[in-house]
């Protein structure tokens, strides 16, 4: 089959590799029908995720059709349409027993396109398929579902739920690329009074408003002044970091009110400064997290009830053979206006 | 009357000042019967709390007898024995309405010995006395109660409750001076499996064991190795920072397991480094906080039922006129073995 | 002044009574500008609330203008426009300290029109005015605000928050009179997948759909069948009882799934049967409650941001002198289509 | 092999039956080393659990040695010593994904000795063995572990955690047979101020005091008076029902304070009366539940750290061939003083 293979920092190719097959009784193999690219894939290509080895097939977000299952698989049979989640989970370790699947101790967690071959390919092997692949209703389209492989549950669990967004809150989202936009979309489920988007790109701020932010802080504006003007000078209830660099994290800790929460979603490559000399007295809560995907079934349900409209997030569509071009478009959002790009089997 | 007056960095005196009197209808004036010194007072004397002005009477922990009340006071009358809490609270602002008294917006929060004259004096004025002074049962001794003015509720709320200490947890307390010891004492209320004390001073580690730590990590030992040995290599569930310097905070973030909590109690004067490049993926929660004292009534109840034995924390006793000597003893624990020193009216 | 005076079961009159005045330093006296009638007032007139004595001025929901304040009042001055909340609170007792104002132990709780004279009058005395009366923004209309005196915070706190309504949930509201409609309105703040309204009156079911229910169960339908059809045969996540009779409560306990919640809002006059032989094994949670009004400031904020549109709830308007007619209209919703009736000073 | 076989209401025998074998790839078969009898088994024999068919091997609490495993079992191999938990769990359904194993939708929940043959036998088949059987440390004795098959996690999860027992609380346990005693033991993990035991049998009240209750209410005493005397007339924070009859449940709802919790553990065969005419206004929470056993790993850890001493609960020991006698002793605690009886393979 063909797959998008990482060749070391800066190197990738859409090339022939051996077909995947069942290794463990809990595995399933899928034909990939729809797949997308994550900002994390760009980090890998940038060399920022050194545990990914050259030769690895990338990708951790796909929808596919089951073509084979191991002898221990209970819930899936060939022909099932499934969402391949970014997180694999044994279901048995102390973390999995408390729904903290992202921290699985038995060979789970973020495996696909990281420690094992991923889904940017014609076929893919999914470990622990019973827990990690979600059967799809015929009412759910591939393109909607594929956004629930990572970006939606990540923004919801790690941003919105960790940040304890509540009705009437003022929520700041720092960085409104795809993950920040998904945070805006899912924050709205809790009816905050204000969602304030902060970004350097005017086009992203426009998108943020379409996704539900009511206030956009432009590069020249003072975020604190804007936030103070709608919070009686107190600061935001929740700040969601969706960039992954020290400056934006530090900005978040400066924007919240006493008793506020900073929910970090960003993937960081270097340390940040924590201003404890200001924060020690302010009753703040700072959270980090890899997604656990416990919310995926609930989010899938919301697609079907029409509560979540994720379609506006997809700006470009390609065939699988156009993977290199798709990467180029996705990697250059300033030039292309790309949010999420999807690739469909044709 | 006489009072301990701050004279600017490094300067203090036990000297004559005007008697306090009722200013606001919600005030009470107490005769100070028992009072203690806080590590924060040493920070003030070190010049680290610049908002404290020269001429300020220090102190925010006392037990006294009401001698006068304003016209708006409902709950207190002259003669009542009360605990003067470190936190004053208006009871009306958005923070006070949710029990977050430490963040009071209307002239409350940490006021005594900070923004207004404190209780290291023969008499003291207590603002918002109905909410901020706690009537004492005859079963409660002055010396037990005075430890509930700050140190016990702080360690309990900001350390133990923020850290969500739970039965079976492994809890690390970094820094076992008085506040760390109080964290050990109150962590035990939730039956953790292990309480691990870390400090540079052997004498403090001995005290930690008497207060309920089962493991002491000595200066030469590797804390992570000790913690891994009792947590199957995962790390601690909770790390409580009770020192207030960057190094110990950073140590705490390195000692917890995925999904663990760092509860900062320490008063910090400078920023710390937050290793987001490691932590972003680990589902950690970091909290800070000034005490709100919502737990003070519950802790007072536990004194009476014998559930909390705080007496072991008092190592030295003085009369009020010995305030300068008491400070010297308290400021030099390595030489004196001091934990808490109390001063009693005689 | 004139007031609506309870004369014993079945008896009421709009009649001359002495003007109220300041009794306690914490009191305020307001001129009543807008006032409404609660289903509970009908219960009182029905003789179901025996602690209400003949001669009592009824009413616990009003907006007014402060005309006098006691010496201990901090936050209000004559001329302030305020919402008079149904709950008075001392702010000092163990319940008030944890925001459980409805359970105040010092002469608070539901006092107005119950243990003391209420607000269905030209003037009214409000005890503990600092905590219990909420200053209104000029952006808030009297008619919107008056619905936040009782019905909105009650449905939100006792129904929606106690029931832990969450995104994607299926919520059943049994009884869609005014309080049930308010439960629908506030449940939507948490984005449930379905809100199912159950009532005997077709007109109320129509209203329920306008307020946001997506499914209405008509008298002839089998509620369980409807609920099973949208929950894969499991039952509802949350059932909110908004009637106050045994049959509807028992219906609620039969409609929820294992792990579901029944949140009782209804005012009950007689016991219900609890089918523990079915429920013991089902992990259900049943809650009851008088409103605490801790959410009133948040809900007031949502009026201003446009997140809550309560105006559709008001069906009839009267002058204060038409109080008897207003009661007649409100007491006969089947004939009049009344939801909430408001009376305005002219 | 021999097994304790239910023969219909009132009928049981220790008799020869076919050996169990692997049916599903997730099964394990154990040799039973230590087993106990539950009050629920007596209910079955009393005919109160009609879904149990004649011919069923009873028993859902055992420690054993794995002798065979299905092809899908990952975590166990023959020779492993395991705790056979009362709850089996598929690990994949919506309930299992949120640790609510007792409500498993795919053939799990309380299966052993209920819907399938149980563990009062020389050998037993355990479905979903990876999740439902817990490997034991060599430090854990059979007799300690067997009490964690049902009674300890049930009292802890359904009584103590559902009741939200907190430091300083007053907790009432109504019914202090084995499950009530286990509730006392595990309630202590949260340091309540008082644990009040209520029972009709003096001998059980004596046991309750040994397990950690500080107050015993004898048959002649007025429970409410006793509770009021230690709660300033308010009522208990938590009442744990551990009997399973209407009268004791109704007693619980009458003993709690406004804002209090009733946690039902009892297995009920008939409805109770819920006095909503009193309770609607009191902010109470009532919970029911079958154990989920999510706490079993934590409780096993506490055996090893010495935090839980369950040995005092075992009053009688037998060999497997003495099963009929063991039932007689257990069924007649008034005469025998039996708490838990264990049967050991010899």
């Amino acid at each position: 089959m063909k797959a998008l293979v990482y060749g070391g920092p800066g190197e990738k190719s859409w090339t022939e590799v051996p077909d995947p097959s069942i290794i463990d009784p809990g595995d399933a193999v899928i034909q990939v029908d729809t797949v997308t690219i994550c900002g994390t894939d760009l980090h890998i290509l940038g060399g920022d995720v050194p545990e990914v080895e050259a030769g690895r097939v990338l990708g951790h977000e796909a929808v596919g059709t089951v073509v084979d299952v191991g002898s221990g698989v209970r819930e899936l049979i060939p022909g099932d349409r499934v969402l391949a989640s970014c997180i694999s989970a044994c279901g048995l370790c102390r973390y999995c027993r408390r729904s903290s699947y992202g921290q699985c101790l038995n060979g789970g967690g973020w495996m696909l396109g990281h420690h094992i071959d991923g889904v940017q390919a014609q076929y893919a092997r999914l470990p622990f398929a019973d827990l990690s692949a979600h059967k799809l209703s015929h009412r759910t389209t591939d393109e909607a579902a594929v956004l629930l492989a990572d970006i939606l549950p990540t923004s919801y669990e790690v941003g919105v739920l960790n940040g304890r967004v509540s009705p009437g809150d003022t929520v700041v989202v720092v960085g409104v690329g795809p993950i920040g936009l998904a945070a805006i979309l899912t924050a709205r489920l809790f009816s905050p009074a204000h969602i304030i988007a902060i970004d350097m790109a005017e086009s992203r701020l426009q998108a943020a408003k379409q996704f539900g932010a009511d206030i956009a802080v432009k590069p020249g504006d003072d975020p604190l002044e804007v936030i103070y003007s709608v919070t009686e000078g107190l600061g935001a209830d929740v700040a969601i970091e969706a960039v992954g660099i020290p400056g934006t994290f530090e900005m978040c800790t400066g924007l919240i009110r006493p008793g506020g929460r900073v929910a970090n979603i960003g993937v960081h490559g270097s340390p940040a400064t924590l201003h404890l000399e200001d924060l020690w007295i302010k009753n703040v809560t700072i959270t980090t997290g890899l997604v656990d995907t416990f919310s995926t079934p609930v989010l899938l349900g919301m697609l079907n009830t029409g509560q979540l409209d994720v379609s506006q997030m997809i700006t470009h569509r390609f065939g699988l053979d156009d993977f290199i071009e798709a990467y180029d478009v996705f990697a250059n959002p300033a030039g292309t206006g790309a949010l999420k790009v999807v690739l469909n089997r044709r």
Side-chain angles (χ1 to χ4, degrees), chain A:
Chain A
M1 70 165 184
K2 292 200 124 180
L4 194 288
V5 178
Y6 173 63
E11 300 293 326
K12 64 177 181 296
S13 56
W14 176 249
T15 189
E16 196 71 22
V17 297
D19 281 7
S21 58
I22 302 294
I23 298 175
D24 182 274
D27 289 347
V29 172
I30 60 167
Q31 166 192 280
V32 174
D33 297 323
T34 299
V35 57
T36 183
I37 307 172
C38 182
T40 309
D41 297 323
L42 302 183
H43 277 286
I44 294 171
L45 285 165
D48 295 342
V49 191
E51 64 268 27
V52 180
E53 298 171 358
R56 175 71 64 236
V57 175
L58 296 184
H60 51 267
E61 300 166 282
V63 167
T65 305
V66 175
V67 293
D68 197 6
V69 295
S71 61
V73 172
R74 293 177 176 279
E75 303 282 317
L76 302 175
I77 56 172
D80 282 345
R81 254 179 89 230
V82 296
L83 167 64
S85 170
C86 64
I87 297 297
S88 307
C90 80
L92 303 174
C93 71
R94 71 174 275 183
Y95 285 99
C96 285
R97 281 172 187 261
R98 299 321 305 261
S99 313
S100 190
Y101 301 122
Q103 306 295 333
C104 174
L105 296 173
N106 287 343
W110 171 32
M111 301 302 290
L112 293 170
H114 185 210
H115 296 297
I116 64 173
D117 283 340
V119 297
Q120 292 175 355
Q122 290 177 311
Y123 294 90
R125 180 179 71 91
L126 308 181
F128 305 118
D130 273 334
L131 256 180
S132 313
H134 300 263
K135 244 187 289 196
L136 294 176
S137 150
H138 67 277
R139 300 165 60 194
T140 311
T141 65
D142 283 11
E143 291 198 348
V146 78
L147 296 179
L148 271 63
D150 178 347
I151 186 168
L152 263 291
T154 295
S155 63
Y156 184 58
E157 296 177 12
V158 183
V160 175
L161 295 183
N162 278 1
R164 302 198 307 271
V165 173
S166 301
D169 274 359
T170 294
V171 178
V172 184
V173 180
V174 178
V176 288
I179 190 78
L181 294 173
I184 291 171
L185 204 62
T186 51
R188 286 168 60 193
L189 297 169
F190 289 94
S191 304
H194 299 292
I195 300 180
I196 300 172
I198 300 179
D199 203 294
M200 301 298 286
E202 175 64 29
S203 63
R204 295 195 159 193
L205 292 173
Q206 287 301 328
K209 289 216 160 184
Q210 285 163 19
F211 277 74
D214 60 314
I215 300 173
V217 179
K218 296 176 190 170
D221 297 346
D222 177 357
L224 204 51
E225 194 176 302
V226 173
I227 292 166
Y228 279 179
S229 73
V230 295
T231 59
E232 300 178 350
L234 275 180
D237 298 284
V238 185
I240 296 179
E241 206 282 349
V243 180
I245 59 173
T248 48
F249 178 83
E250 291 158 27
M251 174 186 281
C252 284
T253 64
L255 297 178
I256 57 170
R257 65 167 177 84
R261 291 84 72 189
V262 172
N264 183 79
I265 309 180
V267 176
H268 290 261
S270 47
T273 300
L274 188 66
H275 287 286
L276 283 174
E277 75 280 17
D278 295 326
L279 295 170
W280 76 266
I281 201 169
K282 281 184 69 179
N283 296 23
V284 302
T285 301
I286 297 168
T287 54
T288 71
L290 181 68
V291 65
D292 287 317
T293 66
F294 63 78
S295 68
T296 304
V298 171
L299 295 171
L300 281 170
M302 289 192 202
L303 288 182
N304 295 338
T305 54
Q307 294 177 276
L308 272 185
D309 176 10
V310 298
S311 62
Q312 50 189 330
M313 201 168 278
I314 299 175
T315 52
H316 296 74
R317 290 173 177 80
F318 300 91
L320 288 182
D321 285 331
D322 306 320
F323 234 117
I324 299 299
E325 183 187 351
Y327 259 93
D328 288 345
V329 167
F330 182 65
N332 180 24
T336 62
L339 293 175
K340 288 296 272 189
V341 307
V342 297
L343 302 96
N344 291 299
R345 184 170 178 274
R346 282 161 180 174

